[in-house]
Amino acid sequence: MSESATAPSHFIRNIVTEDRQNNKNNGRVHTRFPPEPNGYLHIGHAKSICLNFGLAAEFGGLCNLRFDDTNPSKEDVEYVESIKSDVRWLGFDWDDREFYASDYFEQLYRFAVELLESADAYVCDLSADEIRKHRGTLTEAGKESPYRARSVEENLDLFQRMRAGEFPDGSRTLRAKVDMASPNLNMRDPVMYRILRATHHRTGDKWCIYPTYDFAHGQSDSIEGITHSICTLEFEDHRPLYDWFLDKLKIHHPRQIEFARLNLTHTVLSKRKLLQLVQRGYVAGWDDPRMPTLAGIRRRGYTPESLRVFCERIGVAKRNSTVDVAMLEHCVREDLNRRAPRVMAVLRPLRVIITNYPEGQAEELEAVNNPEDPQMGTRKVPFSRVLYIEQDDFRETPPKGFFRLAPGREVRLRYAYIIKCDEVVKDPTSGAVIELRCSYDPETKSGSVQSGRKVKATLHWVSAAHAVEAEARLYDHLFAAENSDDVEEGADWTRNINPNSLETLASCRVEPCLKDAAPGDRYQFERLGYFCVDPVDSSDRKLVFNRTVTLRDAWAKAEKARKRE
RNA sequence: UGGGCGGUCGCCAAGCGGUAAGGCCCCGGACUUUGGAUCCGGUAUCGAAGGUUCGAAUCCUUCCCGCCCAGCCA
């Protein structure tokens, strides 16, 4: 996987390249990632983070981390902390350039006063409701506020008193004097400041008026000397307003470029819905491994490298699109295939007795840690008379195309011997298969001269006496439908939540080398998938593995297709 | 029916007047002590209709479809 070797062109990269060629900003490239600390970052943010930090790195520029914290009623330090650790985990560094829109409150206030002095803004006494009514509609022009013509002196006095706390919340606003007849609703005298008594996570109770995003964002970028303000499509309509403020204020003009936000199949990426999933208990928290949050994805076992490659591969464009989650899954598999050590683990154990293997005997067999990387060496795996294999690897009446174990059939045990199933032991009451009695061929030991004999399948296994117990959590898509909104009339999107998105297997048996696995360690359980030690619930007493993603499985696919017919 | 933006393979996405990259998915096949990995091979005429041109996905015209905007949210 070559993260940097392939830098496919996209329109933003082209714009930046062109701007440099024209020596715009003296060839300087300075971007920023501007989250609002009102929720956890998700994979959609990762796209923006990779874009902003990536472009800066690529062109020898800088990228700031700036919190757009202009709405204290929704923001919290919990979120700023999680955002910082998520960005770091993704692999990016903002050095000492950690900024906050709230750092600029005083400056923003002065900007507002400037606009008041040039009669480009005014204090408006209309209520929220009245402002809405005056705004007009998509097809009709709005009406001017009766307070629009206040004198500069009166405006200055009123605004100063707004700041001083003389008026109740919501009683007045500061508005830009633009154009109530503009076809762009954002230009119909937008609110710049509102009166809001809320304790801000950084400025405390210093302010009782707060700038709106529209009045803060563009100027914040300008103050920081941002050259390319990259944001999502919905802000395209706001650009004329930002330009208007910057022009009136005669300050540095970043170039705003909008791109389409990421959508993924089988999940949701809206802050509102993610919040509801957490609050209504559909998931265990922001870091539930089924969540598309960076915290969840990280806990699930995804690597930051795979996320970065994913973000590079999906591209950047203005077209609304929904990326198939299979693309994401492909990226982790590709990365983990290269780096995850292989290990044998039996999720649903079926006991196997090797009848002709001496009781009490055990031997150490050599197993390769990663066939993709010989450097990773080998390890010893204990073999003995009583083993466990996967329940799925045995069928009493094998369907066509099934070439694993069945009565009378032979298979190879990985790194060990070829065994033959001689007898099936069932529970007398339930009829369930509870044990297999097999015989092994001592001549077929892995690596020996005779070992070349061909059998149709190789199974993973674990020695019963040596195995370590563990819990495995198997995850599936959070939403059964590709599109979470794809529900019948009147039904809620939560109807699409996949009731089987989590399956917990409490009595798995894993090979002994896993005993000392540390939280976060990633492995490939041969033939099953990639798993990582759950950083939260795993302990010395109880090993817990999260399945990051399954291996591609041609047999499972074929069987599924067969069932559909 | 106002304004802004978009429509290239099932899903992403290059292309910027010279005759449709790549990735994912899918389907074949080779190889294989992971039905994994790897390797080969297969699959679009560019929303529609006109026009300009020797030549158009790329230029022009008209039409159709989708997304965003009427928070003192961001």
Side-chain angles (χ1 to χ4, degrees):
Chain A
M1 182 161 38
S2 48
E3 239 184 289
S4 51
T6 47
S9 76
H10 61 241
F11 81 105
I12 299 182
R13 178 136 45 207
N14 293 159
I15 288 173
V16 175
T17 303
E18 195 180 304
D19 284 349
R20 290 192 92 216
Q21 279 163 357
N22 297 335
N23 206 235
K24 244 189 163 179
N25 302 112
N26 298 314
R28 201 167 54 83
V29 174
H30 204 330
T31 56
R32 101 270 96 131
F33 171 59
E36 184 194 9
N38 70 343
Y40 279 66
L41 257 27
H42 57 66
I43 190 164
H45 294 109
K47 178 179 179 182
S48 173
I49 294 166
C50 290
L51 223 203
N52 279 296
F53 280 93
L55 242 20
E58 189 177 331
F59 291 95
L62 298 170
C63 180
N64 298 351
L65 174 62
R66 187 185 66 246
F67 292 93
D68 271 336
D69 54 352
T70 54
N71 186 357
S73 61
K74 291 188 178 172
E75 296 150 7
D76 196 276
V77 275
E78 174 197 354
Y79 299 122
V80 349
E81 289 313 316
S82 76
I83 288 169
K84 280 157 63 174
S85 71
D86 285 346
V87 175
R88 253 185 235 115
W89 174 75
L90 242 199
F92 298 103
D93 183 18
W94 54 93
D95 296 311
D96 59 347
R97 298 180 312 285
E98 177 178 323
F99 303 130
Y100 295 78
S102 55
D103 292 342
Y104 312 134
F105 280 175
E106 197 60 53
Q107 172 71 258
L108 257 11
Y109 180 85
R110 287 201 301 273
F111 282 151
V113 169
E114 261 185 62
L115 294 182
L116 245 15
E117 285 167 343
S118 59
D120 288 310
Y122 61 98
V123 171
C124 182
D125 300 359
L126 256 24
S127 68
D129 203 47
E130 290 165 328
I131 286 184
R132 177 156 38 79
K133 286 180 179 132
H134 277 73
R135 189 150 30 222
T137 67
L138 294 179
T139 51
E140 301 161 62
K143 289 191 303 255
E144 294 189 350
S145 163
Y147 305 97
R148 203 175 199 256
R150 282 218 252 238
S151 71
V152 169
E153 293 67 35
E154 185 182 7
N155 277 143
L156 251 15
D157 173 62
L158 253 16
F159 186 49
Q160 177 273 119
R161 288 163 61 194
M162 276 170 64
R163 175 179 185 169
E166 290 188 25
F167 312 116
D169 283 11
S171 61
R172 277 178 233 260
T173 56
L174 181 72
R175 294 228 260 162
K177 197 187 291 181
V178 192
D179 176 9
M180 288 308 290
S182 171
N184 181 345
L185 306 213
N186 295 118
M187 303 298 268
R188 320 242 265 223
D189 289 12
V191 170
M192 297 160 60
Y193 268 90
R194 70 278 214 187
I195 302 174
L196 175 64
R197 265 158 270 250
T199 302
H200 188 279
H201 65 102
R202 298 203 95 221
T203 59
D205 296 318
K206 180 174 178 199
W207 296 85
C208 64
I209 57 172
Y210 290 95
T212 57
Y213 175 86
D214 277 346
F215 188 64
H217 189 83
Q219 287 88 287
S220 297
D221 280 350
S222 179
I223 290 167
E224 293 177 19
I226 299 304
T227 56
H228 301 270
S229 298
I230 300 169
C231 62
T232 43
L233 257 25
E234 66 271 29
F235 295 107
E236 221 154 4
D237 285 344
H238 296 240
R239 193 175 44 195
L241 209 216
Y242 302 159
D243 287 341
W244 188 89
F245 283 134
L246 265 16
D247 285 345
K248 292 291 181 191
L249 261 12
K250 297 183 177 65
I251 55 179
H252 167 69
H253 233 102
R255 185 198 319 197
Q256 176 170 307
I257 309 165
E258 308 85 5
F259 71 97
R261 54 159 23 110
L262 172 68
N263 292 295
L264 263 188
T265 57
H266 298 289
T267 191
V268 291
L269 248 35
S270 91
K271 273 189 181 179
R272 193 190 105 251
K273 287 182 177 174
L274 292 174
L275 216 210
Q276 286 176 3
L277 287 173
V278 172
Q279 287 181 339
R280 299 189 197 165
Y282 289 111
V283 295
W286 288 103
D287 69 343
D288 186 299
R290 292 167 292 180
M291 290 282 276
T293 50
L294 294 183
I297 285 173
R298 172 169 62 230
R299 187 171 167 192
R300 174 86 168 250
Y302 274 72
T303 58
E305 291 82 356
S306 67
L307 250 45
R308 278 186 252 132
V309 169
F310 171 74
C311 290
E312 193 63 63
R313 285 194 184 149
I314 56 174
V316 179
K318 299 193 71 156
R319 178 191 336 181
N320 292 309
S321 63
T322 302
V323 175
D324 192 332
V325 71
M327 177 86 97
L328 212 210
E329 294 169 345
H330 169 263
C331 291
V332 232
R333 284 197 190 100
E334 181 182 54
D335 190 26
L336 259 16
N337 174 49
R338 250 190 1 194
R339 36 205 289 203
R342 267 108 248 233
V343 105
M344 293 196 285
V346 176
L347 266 27
R348 299 176 180 85
L350 171 59
R351 175 193 288 266
V352 170
I353 312 289
I354 310 295
T355 52
N356 59 339
Y357 195 88
E359 227 159 314
Q361 181 175 315
E363 61 187 304
E364 301 262 276
L365 302 172
E366 186 162 60
V368 173
N369 286 332
N370 187 344
E372 302 293 318
D373 180 9
Q375 298 278 311
M376 290 176 74
T378 61
R379 69 184 185 286
K380 298 291 189 189
V381 182
F383 182 86
S384 65
R385 182 179 154 92
V386 183
L387 314 170
Y388 287 116
I389 65 165
E390 207 70 57
Q391 284 170 21
D392 284 353
D393 285 339
F394 172 80
R395 287 290 185 83
E396 194 170 13
T397 47
K400 189 160 169 283
F402 181 87
F403 35 81
R404 275 110 95 146
L405 204 56
R409 283 210 195 167
E410 283 190 330
V411 293
R412 170 171 289 285
L413 292 182
R414 174 137 244 224
Y415 298 122
Y417 303 91
I418 289 176
I419 61 166
K420 181 178 182 182
C421 176
D422 304 313
E423 201 183 324
V424 180
V425 181
K426 295 184 187 175
D427 181 287
T429 56
S430 71
V433 175
I434 52 172
E435 184 180 294
L436 262 26
R437 301 184 72 81
C438 302
S439 50
Y440 86 114
D441 180 349
E443 302 299 305
T444 58
K445 181 167 175 175
S446 200
S448 72
V449 206
Q450 294 291 313
S451 68
R453 204 165 105 207
K454 295 287 180 203
V455 285
K456 284 235 176 150
T458 297
L459 309 187
H460 61 275
W461 53 275
V462 111
S463 167
H466 308 265
V468 174
E469 257 192 78
E471 174 177 312
R473 297 173 182 174
L474 311 184
Y475 302 105
D476 195 1
H477 302 144
L478 236 193
F479 289 82
E482 275 200 5
N483 177 357
S484 69
D485 285 325
D486 192 8
V487 288
E488 58 232 53
E489 267 303 300
D492 191 50
W493 59 278
T494 54
R495 283 283 288 281
N496 272 146
I497 290 178
N498 176 8
N500 306 313
S501 61
L502 167 62
E503 182 177 7
T504 303
L505 300 175
S507 34
C508 308
R509 299 292 199 289
V510 302
E511 72 173 75
C513 75
L514 249 25
K515 192 167 55 227
D516 302 316
D521 282 356
R522 303 183 183 90
Y523 298 90
Q524 182 196 98
F525 286 0
E526 292 218 31
R527 305 209 306 134
L528 297 173
Y530 296 98
F531 288 74
C532 85
V533 180
D534 187 90
V536 178
D537 295 334
S538 200
S539 68
D540 295 341
R541 298 210 52 233
K542 182 177 140 196
L543 265 179
V544 177
F545 289 95
N546 292 324
R547 183 173 70 193
T548 307
V549 66
T550 61
L551 249 28
R552 288 182 69 224
D553 188 345
W555 167 245
K557 194 188 293 175
E559 210 178 23
K560 212 172 154 189
R562 201 164 49 86
K563 274 179 188 157
R564 272 200 301 268
E565 280 166 10

